[in-house]
Amino acid sequence: MVIGERKPFDEIMRMAEGLKKIMVLGCGGCVTVCLTGGHDEVRVLSSQLRMARDKAGNPIEIIEKTIERQCDPEYVDQVESIVPEVDAVFSMACGAGVQFMAEKYTGKPVYPSLNTTFVGGSKKEGYYVERCQTCGECKLYYTGGICPIARCSKSLLNGPCGGSTKGKCEIDPDVDCAWQLIIDRLKSLGMMDRYEDIMPANDWRTNRDGGPRKMIREDFQR
Amino acid sequence: MADFEPTIVAFCCHYCAYGAADLAGSMRLEYPTNIRVIRLPCTGKITPVFLLRAFEKGADGVYVAGCLEGDCHFIQGNLVAKPRVNYTKKLIQEVGLEPERLEMFNMSAAMGPRFAEVAREFTERIKNLGPSPLNKKNRNKTDKAA
Ligand code: SF4
């Protein structure tokens, strides 16, 4: 899922300066699961904003709403009747959701309440880790299911580097060396021959270097 | 601030703290009338949303009272509540309220005197802090005091 973290409260307060009525819009997708932008978090942020503004003697009116997903036009359309009522929309979705809202509601400022941080998963409730960097050319077949792009600090394709010490990465003793993990895993799978193959330099054009990407399912085009 | 009577919301779990409140009553123990008890099935039910709403509606202080650690009737509800209370302290601090306005206590259903003691001590703490700037009832008084 896409992981996000709420922006510092002060930053959100600054974006809301001068606004009298806003909508805080949650997303029922990834950011609900990672506890940063769902129904509950909408209520928390709205409550905080109301209190801070009330305290300053400058109250703000807030419409609290959460839709299924903000990265899908059919759900984004659902707030059509609310958007004209407010001065701005504070989206609690990832950056994709914020932009889908902004694209649909061209005449309305749409502001981000989260910083979108990475693609990952939950180790346990409330604890999220990065696992994918969306490079566009998956290498997990060769590396025993452990991503050298996302998990090696240098994104090395033929690791480890000389900084690997007792299984830990040189950038931080708490960070596992991805290449140590890869080797351990390939060994246990009896697939060390895959490690012996030298991987060619990465083609970053499938990553962001080729500009913004799209994916089209032809059978769905009309 | 002598004439300031705070409004305090106490979220009490059904099995322990609420029982303790009941016992305090049966024992004819006196505790301040400032406390408004809201009964929860378990403190594990508490979320930052509830706590923030209480402050938003003008509570000067809020506390959560659950079973003693290790004695929760739902095994670990009170252990779930504790970090949530601590997290909410940060949320109210961001808004500009003192984190001391929020606290978590633990007590068993047999601890009627402790319930009364917590109520007295917490009321005293909030009286010292003064009214919440969000308490409309006391806002004029604060303005005058300032
Ligand atoms: S120590 Fe391991 S994870 Fe860290 S940069 Fe080197 S190869 Fe990558």
Side-chain angles (χ1 to χ4, degrees):
Chain A
M1 72 185 122
V2 177
I3 310 290
E5 245 176 296
R6 205 182 83 178
K7 278 185 175 290
F9 185 66
D10 288 347
E11 189 182 340
I12 301 176
M13 275 293 281
R14 277 199 298 280
M15 290 190 279
E17 237 166 66
L19 305 176
K20 296 270 175 256
K21 187 172 179 181
I22 61 169
M23 168 161 65
V24 174
L25 184 64
C27 177
C30 311
V31 292
T32 289
V33 183
C34 73
L35 308 170
T36 35
H39 177 72
D40 266 24
E41 293 73 36
V42 165
R43 293 169 76 191
V44 166
L45 175 61
S46 303
S47 187
Q48 276 189 297
L49 284 170
R50 273 193 301 266
M51 283 196 268
R53 288 283 294 262
D54 216 17
K55 196 166 160 278
N58 180 20
I60 187 166
E61 195 182 331
I62 301 181
I63 297 176
E64 301 173 20
K65 179 92 185 148
T66 300
I67 55 177
E68 195 64 32
R69 280 197 296 281
Q70 287 185 36
C71 54
D72 236 327
E74 63 175 299
Y75 299 114
V76 167
D77 287 351
Q78 290 173 348
V79 290
E80 210 164 34
S81 61
I82 305 174
V83 171
E85 284 181 45
V86 296
D87 302 331
V89 177
F90 281 69
S91 164
M92 295 199 82
C94 71
V98 177
Q99 291 180 65
F100 268 70
M101 280 295 295
E103 278 165 41
K104 158 84 186 172
Y105 301 105
T106 47
K108 196 64 67 180
V110 181
Y111 299 135
S113 312
L114 307 185
N115 289 323
T116 308
T117 38
F118 54 82
V119 175
S122 46
K123 281 287 227 191
K124 54 184 181 178
E125 203 183 6
Y127 191 115
Y128 308 96
V129 287
E130 182 165 19
R131 285 291 181 267
C132 177
Q133 219 167 286
T134 71
C135 75
E137 184 66 56
C138 194
K139 294 147 183 69
L140 292 170
Y141 169 82
Y142 304 102
T143 56
I146 291 150
C147 178
I149 303 279
R151 297 187 66 185
C152 166
S153 306
K154 297 172 190 162
S155 297
L156 296 178
L157 291 187
N158 298 285
C161 72
S164 180
T165 312
K166 295 194 177 115
K168 298 295 173 187
C169 174
E170 66 178 343
I171 64 137
D172 184 337
D174 290 335
V175 172
D176 288 328
C177 168
W179 274 99
Q180 182 71 55
L181 297 176
I182 292 169
I183 290 166
D184 291 348
R185 177 127 169 107
L186 287 177
K187 268 188 193 154
S188 73
L189 293 170
M191 293 177 175
M192 271 304 271
D193 51 316
R194 291 189 194 174
Y195 177 66
E196 298 302 332
D197 290 337
I198 302 294
M199 269 202 252
N202 197 44
D203 180 354
W204 291 102
R205 283 172 304 178
T206 56
N207 191 259
R208 268 283 309 158
D209 292 23
R213 294 167 280 181
K214 48 178 179 277
M215 191 284 271
I216 298 163
R217 267 282 298 263
E218 273 163 23
D219 51 335
F220 277 75
Q221 307 311 308
R222 260 173 287 166
Chain B
M1 212 56 72
D3 59 343
F4 163 54
E5 285 301 338
T7 302
I8 294 170
V9 177
F11 289 99
C12 295
C13 77
H14 170 76
Y15 288 96
C16 292
Y18 195 81
D22 206 16
L23 181 61
S26 311
M27 290 170 79
R28 303 272 184 269
L29 296 175
E30 268 189 39
Y31 63 87
T33 53
N34 306 71
I35 313 293
R36 313 282 191 274
V37 174
I38 295 179
R39 179 165 57 162
L40 299 173
C42 172
T43 50
K45 173 83 181 133
I46 206 77
T47 69
V49 175
F50 285 5
L51 301 170
L52 291 177
R53 277 296 142 90
F55 283 110
E56 205 184 327
K57 284 177 181 274
D60 299 295
V62 177
Y63 65 85
V64 178
C67 305
L68 294 173
E69 287 185 10
D71 280 348
C72 172
H73 280 61
F74 298 97
I75 303 172
Q76 49 184 10
N78 51 0
L79 302 180
V80 167
K82 192 177 175 177
R84 289 186 183 167
V85 170
N86 288 336
Y87 174 68
T88 311
K89 278 176 181 247
K90 290 194 199 126
L91 297 175
I92 63 168
Q93 199 167 16
E94 286 176 339
V95 168
L97 294 175
E98 301 87 345
E100 297 78 27
R101 291 187 185 276
L102 175 63
E103 208 55 76
M104 167 115 195
F105 297 102
N106 299 87
M107 61 190 75
S108 78
M111 294 166 78
R114 176 70 184 142
F115 181 88
E117 184 183 52
V118 163
R120 276 194 300 272
E121 284 176 9
F122 195 76
T123 305
E124 206 45 47
R125 181 200 290 193
I126 301 301
K127 278 191 175 175
N128 288 334
L129 284 171
S132 156
L134 298 161
N135 184 340
K136 302 223 163 59
K137 189 178 66 172
N138 277 299
R139 188 172 273 181
N140 294 338
K141 281 185 208 160
T142 339
D143 290 349
K144 265 179 229 146

